[in-house]
Amino acid sequence: MSSPTPTTPSEAPAPVVEAAPVAVEVAGVKREVEETKDTTETASAPETTAATSTGALQEQSGESAAKKQRVQIEKEDTSSYMGNKRNKVRGNIRGADKYKGKSRNAEDAAKAEAGEGSQATEEGEKEARIPKRKVAVMMGYCGTGYQGMQVNPSAKTIEGDLFKALVKAGAVSKDNADDIKKVSMMRSARTDKGVHAAGNVVSLKMIVEDNDIIEKINKELPEQIRLFGYVRTINSFSAKTLCDSRVYEYLLPTYVFLPRPPVPERTAGSEAATAKTVLRENAPEGSMAWDENVHISTPEEMVEKRKYRIDATTLAKVREGFAAYIGTKNFHNFTIGHDFKEKTCNRYIMKFDVSDPKMIEGTEWLSLKVHGQSFMLHQIRKMVGLVVMIIRTDTPMKLIPETFKANKINIPKAPSLGLLLERPVFTTYNRKVEGKNPALDFEPYTTEMEAFKEKYIYEGIIKEELTYNRFDEYLQILDGHAEKYNFGYLNKDGVIPEDAIIKRGDTLRATESDAESDASA
């Protein structure tokens, strides 16, 4: 038996159907689809028929907008969900979708009213992005009143004041003003508390669009910190890691080489007696000699000491002593917290020059210049301190090589007042960028550097020494506690006796006495 040929909606005459049967027929389609357990393909035929019939009936019947929307939803639902429990799932999902839609719309509306407006305001207040360039800044500073070079949130430092000035002058954007690391700031030498620098280099990413940027930065800095200029560098440049070596200078009044007055011989009883500290009640203003065991020189005594002029023989011994440091040596005795076996204690000294004596305001001075690859904490000050103690106690210079051996001794460090960084050296870097980038050299700024050094460093050192007799005070502290500090290695034979060697359990005590020997550091 042949099946009747289907008639398309365009071929069949449009029957007139009442509104009620439409709802029944559509509902019947819905029930038929919901009760079937066939696959989606099986359900697709009645869906198509329902969609076709519904569309035609709605066009002719003039259904209301609400009924049209309901029919459309029913039509979509029959083709979207299957299974015995699809009604429940369909309702939940549809409800959730409607809720999410409303929530998202409300959120978008809120953003339109408030969020986007505030964002636009913030963008309006933001600075225009200005390119940063990697540069090396040449600078000098007087370290008096500062806790060192490296930035420290809880202390006044050179880098701290420099970074503030960079932000105020516009060399660092406000977006980067909250963290020094954002501009990759790094120094070539980290000077300690009270130590000066005639020349130091700081690398960073800086805004250099303004031709007068150095002048503007200097206006925001105190007079004891000056920038001399800058040069553009390669992007990977670091002032710390690409620095080949450093040159330091130490200013020393020659009266420190006067012979040391006799001190009592070291005994167990005398050591216990001098170990007890008695605070001085009427110490002069600014004096570090707060212990009654320490003699404070009178003005008359200081006049006599400042009359001292170093002779040729003593000057030759001074030069011999500092020359003994040249080369690669183990400087474990010239720092704190390091053992002889540590490789980091091996440091290379290229040159150690001692100038001819120079008179400054009634006192004779020597300039010591040491050029080394790198230096350990307190190393230069202890190198100076040992030579001073050797000469004033007439100890043979052969003691110095003994200090590079395994035995640990307590070497006093000279005052920080006389120490300054002369300049860092970038020989390897300059060779690498030759013909591509400017050389990193202080030569173009020699005149400015010398003027700054004379006014803010040399004058500051001389003034403090003449006011407070810092170097004499340092020697008086050492002499007043000679037994406590155990300087038994200062003898006529130039050998280190057993009782002068610091044992493992005595290391902490030696460190404490070393710190006390110079309270200004």
Side-chain angles (χ1 to χ4, degrees), residues 45-110:
E47 289 170 11
T48 306
T49 305
T52 305
S53 302
T54 304
L57 293 173
Q58 285 175 341
E59 290 175 358
Q60 294 182 13
S61 62
E63 289 276 355
S64 65
K67 286 187 177 181
K68 287 181 180 180
Q69 185 177 10
R70 185 183 67 198
V71 171
Q72 182 66 21
I73 290 173
E74 297 294 352
K75 179 188 69 174
E76 292 175 355
D77 287 343
T78 58
S79 61
S80 301
Y81 302 96
M82 298 187 68
N84 294 332
K85 297 183 179 180
R86 60 175 160 259
N87 285 339
K88 181 178 180 181
V89 174
R90 181 176 61 210
N92 290 343
I93 294 176
R94 186 169 59 204
D97 286 341
K98 288 181 179 181
Y99 177 79
K100 285 170 65 178
K102 291 179 180 179
S103 176
R104 193 179 299 116
N105 291 338
E107 185 179 345
D108 292 341

Side-chain angles (χ1 to χ4, degrees), residues 343-355:
K343 290 184 178 180
T344 187
C345 296
N346 293 313
R347 300 297 167 117
Y348 176 47
I349 304 298
M350 305 171 188
K351 185 186 286 189
F352 213 136
D353 293 331
V354 179
S355 72

Side-chain angles (χ1 to χ4, degrees), residues 418-434:
L419 182 62
L420 64 134
L421 173 65
E422 179 73 17
R423 69 185 184 280
V425 180
F426 296 88
T427 306
T428 303
Y429 171 78
N430 289 340
R431 192 183 302 123
K432 178 181 178 180
V433 302
E434 187 175 1

Side-chain angles (χ1 to χ4, degrees), residues 79-362:
S79 61
S80 301
Y81 302 96
M82 298 187 68
N84 294 332
K85 297 183 179 180
R86 60 175 160 259
N87 285 339
K88 181 178 180 181
V89 174
R90 181 176 61 210
N92 290 343
I93 294 176
R94 186 169 59 204
D97 286 341
K98 288 181 179 181
Y99 177 79
K100 285 170 65 178
K102 291 179 180 179
S103 176
R104 193 179 299 116
N105 291 338
E107 185 179 345
D108 292 341
K111 284 183 178 179
E113 287 183 6
E116 291 180 359
S118 60
Q119 185 178 354
T121 304
E122 289 175 3
E123 289 177 356
E125 292 176 353
K126 261 189 175 181
E127 292 181 320
R129 255 182 207 283
I130 304 175
K132 301 187 292 290
R133 307 299 180 196
K134 197 63 175 288
V135 300
V137 175
M138 271 75 85
M139 66 181 300
Y141 51 84
C142 172
T144 303
Y146 285 89
Q147 299 296 312
M149 172 66 177
Q150 189 173 11
V151 67
N152 184 343
S154 62
K156 184 180 180 182
T157 64
I158 301 294
E159 274 187 352
D161 278 9
L162 173 60
F163 189 65
K164 292 175 185 176
L166 289 167
V167 174
K168 290 180 180 178
V172 171
S173 67
K174 292 180 180 178
D175 290 340
N176 296 329
D178 59 334
D179 189 357
I180 198 170
K181 294 179 182 177
K182 289 184 178 180
V183 295
S184 304
M185 183 179 282
M186 185 61 64
R187 85 297 307 169
S188 59
R190 183 184 62 185
T191 53
D192 297 331
K193 174 184 175 182
V195 177
H196 320 292
N200 202 349
V201 171
V202 172
S203 59
L204 75 154
K205 291 182 286 188
M206 191 171 84
I207 299 171
V208 294
E209 302 297 318
D210 192 338
N211 293 330
D212 299 323
I213 191 62
I214 294 296
E215 183 181 348
K216 290 182 177 180
I217 297 170
N218 280 330
K219 286 182 179 178
E220 302 295 340
L221 286 168
E223 290 188 351
Q224 68 185 93
I225 303 176
R226 289 291 94 180
L227 303 191
F228 305 125
Y230 73 90
V231 296
R232 289 282 303 277
T233 66
I234 59 176
N235 290 334
S236 60
F237 178 77
S238 168
K240 179 182 178 181
T241 58
L242 294 182
C243 180
D244 295 316
S245 56
R246 289 101 176 150
V247 179
Y248 279 85
E249 182 178 13
Y250 195 96
L251 290 184
L252 191 66
T254 59
Y255 73 76
V256 299
F257 298 116
L258 283 167
R260 183 181 71 173
V263 295
E265 291 187 8
R266 180 183 175 86
T267 64
S270 61
E271 181 183 356
T274 56
K276 184 178 180 181
T277 300
V278 180
L279 295 180
R280 190 187 302 275
E281 294 183 0
N282 298 315
E285 182 181 356
S287 174
M288 301 293 179
W290 40 262
D291 191 342
E292 285 286 359
N293 292 320
V294 176
H295 172 71
I296 297 178
S297 298
T298 64
E300 292 76 20
E301 289 173 330
M302 286 309 304
V303 169
E304 292 300 316
K305 289 180 180 181
R306 295 190 187 282
K307 289 180 181 179
Y308 174 79
R309 302 294 178 261
I310 193 169
D311 56 57
T313 303
T314 305
L315 182 58
K317 290 180 66 177
V318 172
R319 286 172 172 158
E320 178 189 355
F322 287 112
Y325 295 124
I326 297 175
T328 301
K329 313 289 183 184
N330 189 313
F331 287 97
H332 75 104
N333 272 316
F334 295 82
T335 186
I336 57 175
H338 290 281
D339 186 76
F340 172 76
K341 295 180 181 179
E342 296 180 38
K343 290 184 178 180
T344 187
C345 296
N346 293 313
R347 300 297 167 117
Y348 176 47
I349 304 298
M350 305 171 188
K351 185 186 286 189
F352 213 136
D353 293 331
V354 179
S355 72
D356 290 333
K358 180 181 181 180
M359 289 295 299
I360 304 176
E361 296 191 30

Side-chain angles (χ1 to χ4, degrees), residues 357-420:
K358 180 181 181 180
M359 289 295 299
I360 304 176
E361 296 191 30
T363 301
E364 188 179 63
W365 294 77
L366 294 178
S367 171
L368 319 174
K369 288 193 177 181
V370 55
H371 186 183
Q373 192 173 39
S374 60
F375 298 91
M376 304 179 77
L377 179 65
H378 303 327
Q379 181 182 336
I380 297 174
R381 292 164 62 190
K382 282 177 174 280
M383 293 161 75
V384 173
L386 181 61
V387 172
V388 168
M389 295 299 288
I390 283 175
I391 292 177
R392 68 194 299 262
T393 58
D394 200 23
T395 298
M397 289 294 170
K398 68 178 185 178
L399 171 67
I400 295 179
E402 294 298 315
T403 64
F404 306 137
K405 298 179 181 179
N407 287 333
K408 189 75 173 178
I409 61 174
N410 182 21
I411 298 176
K413 61 181 183 288
S416 62
L417 176 64
L419 182 62
L420 64 134

